[in-house]
């Protein structure tokens, strides 16, 4: 498999893993926003971002301070 295709497959595999670990889980972000993760989004400029129920916008996953287990 070409190298670029291998990298793309790894990115997609990790994206789906993150989806299964975070979608539907309660989170608290570093700015105090809290709610259930509604979706994950890949952003060219910012990487992996999440949307939280009840709060318009998308935040980097690195801002998760606390997540439901």
């Amino acid at each position: 498999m070409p190298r670029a295709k291998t990298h793309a497959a790894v990115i997609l595999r990790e994206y789906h893993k993150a989806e299964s670990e975070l979608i539907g889980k309660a989170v608290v972000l570093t700015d105090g926003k809290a709610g259930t993760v509604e979706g994950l989004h890949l952003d060219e400029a910012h990487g992996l971002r999440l949307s939280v129920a009840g709060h318009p916008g998308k935040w980097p996953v690195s801002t998760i301070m606390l997540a439901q287990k």
Side-chain angles (χ1 to χ4, degrees), residues 5-59:
K5 197 171 184 178
T6 302
H7 288 300
V10 169
I11 290 168
L12 288 174
R13 187 172 33 255
E14 291 300 317
Y15 173 77
H16 291 299
K17 181 180 174 187
E19 266 187 331
S20 67
E21 290 176 5
L22 290 172
I23 299 290
K25 300 287 175 100
V27 295
V28 178
L29 304 180
T30 55
D31 64 359
K33 289 179 180 64
T36 304
V37 177
E38 290 185 322
L40 289 177
H41 315 275
L42 282 174
D43 182 331
E44 285 181 17
H46 303 102
L48 191 60
R49 299 176 73 80
L50 58 94
S51 56
V52 177
H55 301 285
K58 297 174 185 164
W59 294 271

